[in-house]
Amino acid sequence: MDDAKEGERDAMETAPLPFRAAVEALESARLRPQIEIDPTKPPRRLAPFAYALEATVVDGDEDLADGRLILLHDPAGHDAWQGSFRLVTLVRAELEPEMAADPLLPDVCWSWLTGALQSRGLSYGEPSGTVTRASSHYFGGLSERPPASQIEIRASWTPREGTGGVPDTASHLASWCDLLSQLAGLPPAGSPDASVVSLPQRRDPQSR
């Protein structure tokens, strides 16, 4: 084991019990097979304790969407969070250019985040974030590549704490994966629901 991994293991062993329990729930969550998820190095300056995951929605050889979810914990609490835990995320997906031009797209994508949490009956507070659309046009030696458009959601929210001061992080992770899947254009997990609309995806995504 290298020094970095050994240091992370030692830090986890000395972390407060609620944080350790929240991380264990994240690591044990069962997700849909199209989502590939792995732990990654968390930021160190946002909170005394942090844990991060990276996920990619894969369809065959195509990466349809990707994202990062970070769990923050401050045992002393945080005024801006109104709690001792905070979830922070970045998710992004490539779109057809005409979809990116839809003026309602940012509002729809934000509603998918809040809707994903509410659909699983999760209690949360202090949500905040941004939805960004970006378009790329290629010139010169890259002029044969078609224009590419991307939607990006950056957000954070406070998961309400349950027994022992531990939030239901497994369910929050599942709802986050619901959002990621919807951005990727996958049908909802379980029984199809015609009322749920996903973004039609570019079928030849450019490498990021």
Side-chain angles (χ1 to χ4, degrees), residues 17-22 25 73 84-85 159-169:
L17 183 57
F19 178 71
R20 289 160 54 191
H73 179 53
S84 64
F85 283 91
R160 294 307 183 208
E161 298 165 16
T163 303
V166 183
D168 185 0
T169 50

Side-chain angles (χ1 to χ4, degrees), residues 49-62:
F49 302 94
Y51 180 82
L53 294 167
E54 287 183 337
T56 304
V57 180
V58 178
D59 181 14
D61 294 330
E62 297 180 358

Side-chain angles (χ1 to χ4, degrees), residues 10 12 16 22 31 56-57 101 103 106 111 141 161 163 169 183 193 198:
D10 292 343
M12 185 61 67
L31 308 173
T56 304
V57 180
S111 73
E161 298 165 16
T163 303
T169 50
L183 282 173
D193 183 348
S198 298

Side-chain angles (χ1 to χ4, degrees), residues 87-99:
L87 285 163
V88 181
T89 186
L90 161 67
V91 294
R92 57 194 175 188
E94 299 219 8
L95 308 170
E96 295 294 346
E98 58 269 22
M99 283 297 299

Side-chain angles (χ1 to χ4, degrees), residues 27 56 96 145 152 173 206:
E27 294 176 336
T56 304
E96 295 294 346
R145 294 176 64 172
E152 179 182 278
L173 174 59
Q206 304 295 333

